[in-house]
Amino acid sequence: MSPPMSASVQTTAATTTAAPSGAPVAGPGAGRSAVRPDSAAADPAAPGVAAPAAGPVARAPRLALLDVTRLAAALSVVLYHWTAWHHTRFSTDGRVALEVWPVLGRLTALGALGVQLFFLVSGLVIVLSVVGRTPAQYVGSRIGRLYPAYWAAVPAAALLVFVLWPEVGAARSPTEILPNLTMLQGGMGGVGHLDGVYWTLWVELKFYATVLVVMLLRWTTPGRLLAFAVGWPVLGTLLAGLSSAVGTGEEAVSHVLFPEYSALFAAGIVLYLLHRRGHTPPRWAALVVCSGLAAAWSAPIQARETLETTGLDVSVPLVAGVVLAMVAWVAVTVLSPAARWRIPGAKAAGALTYPLYLFHQLWGWWLIGLLVPLFGPRWTMPLVLAVLLVWSWAVHRWIERPLGPRLRDAGTGALERVPGLRRRVPSS
């Protein structure tokens, strides 16, 4: 989201109300989650969809700075793809982006780490969103959050790569459209992403599934959640090393435990515990462990990918330092007085994040190539960004807002017929 984060990030406290035996009891997540999932997503995790409140809700200050952080992460990815990536859309003479933007491109070359920032924030807000909810409500909220904008993005991408810009779709097939609409193509062998940015959504979905397992196993008490947050990335790292040593099983470990990114989500979970349950030495120690693993995994991967996509050779320690700085920044946004800041436009910033992420790469490149001969690079970039921001608002206003609640309610209603998915998660 990615990624799929929600559009509004705010903490809430709900008054518990009585319910008939067997009926869900109203709590923090019965209506609005501790951090509204609309501000969470994938997402990578943009506007989230909260269930209707079942009782009185006293709202705590909105985590406005986290909304702004999410949009900043999306913009860093946008600028990375536009000004540092090895493409020639900004020129009419075959020059790559870094030759057109020699200074800016070097500053944005690590902008791809905005994805890691999405994962970190997702770990925090997704766990906040499950408190007081049933597994059925949790899954329904994720469906309502992720799919409306995505179902607009996939046909749009198909139109672009198979009709308007067929040369970029040469390596793709129309048979991939339907699998892409499921958002599960990352787990389907031989099926590619119509737009390369969709890969992060598969990682987010696996994290959501992991959280669902945690809910079903009742590992949401503070002690168990902390143990899980440390044990998950540590186990993944150990198994990845072992499978690499024996020469087998690496793909299975990556699919199930995804150690390349799990420590980022886990660091977000620990920040959730610090935010909601207070500061203790074990929690801070856990944050150090998860942050260290996140930097250790992300740094070599991103340094290699930056070299491949931009031609720039960045040092591994530099990337590791940026990852640790991102953890520190998110900690400041939720653990310091900054968590109570009121920032005008923060809600709108959060709402734009997910649609902007979904549409910026291929559509951005296509629009840039279309407009550069008319306006030149200097004017084309802000113009295309403005167009995509307006388009993102339109997707949020006319697709996400009306369709999200319907999908959420339909998904929740269908899943609540399964007895094991109706048990509410207590406040942790």
Side-chain angles (χ1 to χ4, degrees), residues 119 151 162 183 218 224 234 243 261 267 292 304 318 356 364 407 413:
F119 292 160
W151 280 341
F162 298 125
M183 206 183 289
R218 314 298 286 178
R224 290 178 179 178
V234 168
S243 60
Y261 308 106
R304 181 180 68 250
L318 173 62
L356 177 63
L407 281 177

Side-chain angles (χ1 to χ4, degrees), residues 68-410:
V68 175
T69 296
R70 290 177 43 246
L71 182 60
L75 290 173
S76 76
V77 177
V78 170
L79 291 176
Y80 160 70
H81 283 141
W82 289 4
T83 65
W85 189 282
H86 196 77
H87 68 87
T88 59
R89 304 298 292 175
F90 266 118
S91 70
T92 56
D93 55 8
R95 288 179 299 154
V96 297
L98 267 174
E99 294 175 306
V100 178
W101 305 98
V103 176
L104 180 61
R106 280 164 174 77
L107 293 175
T108 62
L110 289 180
L113 286 172
V115 169
Q116 276 79 356
L117 183 52
F118 282 140
F119 292 160
L120 174 64
V121 174
S122 188
L124 167 67
V125 298
I126 294 303
V127 176
L128 271 166
S129 76
V130 308
V131 175
R133 283 189 168 183
T134 66
Q137 289 172 328
Y138 163 68
V139 176
S141 73
R142 293 300 88 206
I143 293 172
R145 171 67 198 96
L146 287 183
Y147 280 95
Y150 182 73
W151 280 341
V154 171
L159 171 67
L160 183 63
V161 301
F162 298 125
V163 179
L164 300 177
W165 196 11
E167 55 265 38
V168 82
R172 296 170 172 85
S173 168
T175 61
E176 295 176 322
I177 297 174
L178 286 179
N180 269 253
L181 285 170
T182 69
M183 206 183 289
L184 303 176
Q185 67 273 12
M188 302 177 187
V191 179
H193 301 289
L194 287 185
D195 192 322
V197 300
Y198 298 166
W199 74 268
T200 62
L201 302 181
W202 175 239
V203 178
E204 283 279 349
L205 284 178
K206 291 194 291 185
F207 172 59
Y208 296 164
T210 302
V211 172
L212 179 60
V213 171
V214 169
M215 294 175 72
L216 294 173
L217 294 176
R218 314 298 286 178
W219 289 350
T220 54
T221 60
R224 290 178 179 178
L225 197 56
L226 184 65
F228 169 76
V230 175
W232 173 31
V234 168
L235 176 63
T237 299
L238 292 175
L239 290 180
L242 178 61
S243 60
S244 177
V246 301
T248 184
E250 290 180 82
E251 186 174 354
V253 172
S254 180
H255 269 302
V256 176
L257 297 175
F258 44 106
E260 307 95 324
Y261 308 106
S262 61
L264 292 158
F265 293 112
I269 293 172
V270 178
L271 286 170
Y272 155 80
L273 289 169
L274 289 164
H275 171 64
R276 286 293 297 268
R277 303 295 295 186
H279 302 240
T280 66
R283 289 173 193 152
W284 279 104
L287 184 61
V288 170
V289 171
C290 293
S291 301
L293 286 174
W297 274 103
S298 297
I301 291 173
Q302 195 56 52
R304 181 180 68 250
E305 291 183 356
T306 300
L307 181 61
E308 292 172 354
T309 59
T310 71
L312 293 176
D313 189 4
V314 297
S315 70
V316 170
L318 173 62
V319 182
V322 173
V323 173
L324 294 175
M326 291 191 305
V327 177
W329 173 254
V330 175
V332 167
T333 66
V334 298
L335 302 179
S336 76
R340 296 188 293 274
W341 288 357
R342 297 180 182 274
I343 303 176
K347 183 177 181 179
L352 294 174
T353 301
Y354 185 38
L356 177 63
Y357 179 80
L358 289 175
F359 286 94
H360 81 273
Q361 186 175 9
L362 288 182
W363 279 98
W365 283 343
W366 183 72
L367 288 170
I368 288 167
L370 201 65
L371 297 179
V372 157
L374 301 176
F375 301 105
R378 188 181 297 267
W379 290 103
T380 292
M381 185 165 65
L383 179 59
V384 172
L385 181 58
V387 168
L388 287 178
L389 286 171
V390 170
W391 174 251
S392 298
W393 176 86
V395 169
H396 167 62
R397 173 62 183 85
W398 301 109
I399 297 177
E400 289 188 303
R401 282 173 57 179
L403 184 57
R406 296 174 184 174
L407 281 177
R408 176 204 65 205
D409 293 344

